[in-house]
Amino acid sequence: MKNWKLAAGLLLSVALPSQAFATDLEVTHWWTSGGEAAAVAELAKAFDASGDHWVDGAIAGGGDTARPVMIARITGGDPMGATQFNHGQQALELVQAGLMLDLTDVAEANKWREVVNPVSLLDGCTIDGKVYCAPMNIHSPEWLWINNKIYEDLGIPVPQNWTEFVASAPQVEAAGKIPLALGRQPWQSTLAFNAITVGVGGLDLWKKVNLDKDMEVAAGPDMLKVFQAAADARKLAVKSTVQDWNQATNMVISGDAAGQIMGDWAQGEFAVAGKVAGKDYTCLPGLGLNAYLSTGGDAFYFPKLSDPDQEAAQKRLAALLVSPEVQVAFNLKKGSLPIRGDIDMSSANDCMKKGLEILKSGNVVPSGDQAWSPDVQTQLNDMQSEFWSADMTPEDAQARYVEILKTGL
């Protein structure tokens, strides 16, 4: 009943026509792991309770698999009601082609510019002064997740940063454990490298390369140190043969691996497994070396539909996704941070509270998706995947890295 009242109020605030019957909306996304499915269930429950109906269109395999399918359907004349993309430039060409619904009236009626924090997330949805997406969450990929029991059994302290983690690797290996779990999808290699960039090289280095686009720095000695550290890290992950990120997370949860570099969404998997932050596992933002957040995450876009009833339902869903109640319910299950700065997150676990404190401090930067085009991101993913799975030297990897970045200038 509470959800219904909230949704009803949102419908009034957006000044949409009243519903005579439930409207079905297919929503495509790539959230299929245990923690992700639990979070999506919260969205479906809220939308169904509002009087409409969520038709789930989950696509397994992650964003790299799902996005081409989503884009092909939209450009091919078979659009869904709503679809997930990451914050950044992934849907830019679809918007420019006139294929996405303008949500400016929803954003203004619900005062999104006043409540979205940081407001750069809304700016990422805004093109030529019009809002085209509903920001859903803030995800930070630069976390180190550690199984505490492995270190308790070894009789040594749980590492509190990346340097200590690497130093503990020989003892972990001697105990028959894999030091670092890493899935074989290309984006996971890029994520690990970017985390090491900030952890080893520092936040200023990341900003100079990714925001200032300084190619001399990208080709310089500080970045070479990052590639050398990544080469050392790949030795720790050499026996990790799983494919998906959540399989790698499960290696840490089950005690087969000591740690994983992965985004804050990993804590959704720990929660489903009944693990307690600070007791069963340790979470270290910025690899415990440089605590910061990159304000990436997920947003929902709404392809243009010919049915006016469906368009009205799309706007009702957009308003609902940014509503306080849905933001709390979804993000508590997902492990991500809410995009609203005016809601009560006192029930968050220790890891989420760390993220909220960093967000409050303002120590945030844009995500790689916001800094570079999808083409550059794809090339980087392919290069990093090769680097982490082969014997490419740090020097050769750095040279290729710089050449790829130059294509995005």
Side-chain angles (χ1 to χ4, degrees), residues 149-156 168-179 239 255-258:
K149 188 175 186 302
I150 286 179
Y151 290 91
E152 291 167 1
D153 290 346
L154 288 172
I156 60 177
S168 73
Q171 289 169 279
V172 171
E173 288 183 302
K177 307 291 184 179
I178 296 173
K239 293 183 180 179
D256 292 328

Side-chain angles (χ1 to χ4, degrees), residues 249-328:
T249 304
N250 189 61
M251 290 173 64
V252 181
I253 293 172
S254 65
D256 292 328
Q260 177 192 24
I261 300 173
M262 187 46 60
D264 51 12
W265 52 88
Q267 65 183 309
E269 303 305 299
F270 282 94
V272 169
K275 303 300 182 180
V276 178
K279 176 185 176 184
D280 299 311
Y281 64 98
T282 293
C283 54
L284 301 173
L287 306 190
L289 296 172
N290 290 288
Y292 78 103
L293 298 178
S294 59
T295 52
D298 303 288
F300 277 97
Y301 288 77
F302 298 81
K304 286 184 177 178
L305 303 175
S306 58
D307 185 341
D309 288 334
Q310 285 194 309
E311 180 177 313
Q314 287 177 304
K315 293 188 174 183
R316 291 193 291 270
L317 176 57
L320 192 67
L321 293 175
V322 183
S323 68
E325 187 167 276
V326 170
Q327 278 290 303
V328 172

Side-chain angles (χ1 to χ4, degrees), residues 317-363:
L317 176 57
L320 192 67
L321 293 175
V322 183
S323 68
E325 187 167 276
V326 170
Q327 278 290 303
V328 172
F330 172 81
N331 286 295
L332 284 177
K333 292 289 179 66
K334 186 70 165 60
S336 48
L337 301 181
I339 52 86
R340 295 184 68 117
D342 62 344
I343 56 179
D344 180 9
M345 294 296 291
S346 57
S347 56
N349 69 15
D350 288 350
C351 292
M352 188 177 290
K353 286 178 179 176
K354 287 183 181 181
L356 289 168
E357 284 299 314
I358 297 171
L359 184 62
K360 184 179 178 180
S361 75
N363 198 16

Side-chain angles (χ1 to χ4, degrees), residues 110-151:
N110 291 279
K111 296 180 171 55
W112 285 2
R113 184 151 289 276
E114 296 178 19
V115 300
V116 172
N117 178 48
V119 73
S120 59
L121 296 175
L122 188 60
D123 292 338
C125 290
T126 305
I127 300 171
D128 296 330
K130 296 180 179 180
V131 178
Y132 287 95
C133 69
M136 195 66 222
N137 57 24
I138 301 170
H139 266 316
S140 178
E142 303 87 1
W143 293 69
L144 177 61
W145 304 88
I146 296 175
N147 181 308
N148 288 353
K149 188 175 186 302
I150 286 179
Y151 290 91

Side-chain angles (χ1 to χ4, degrees), residues 39-61:
V40 171
E42 294 293 334
L43 303 182
K45 181 172 66 175
F47 193 52
D48 290 353
S50 74
D52 290 304
H53 180 54
W54 176 289
V55 178
D56 199 66
I59 301 173

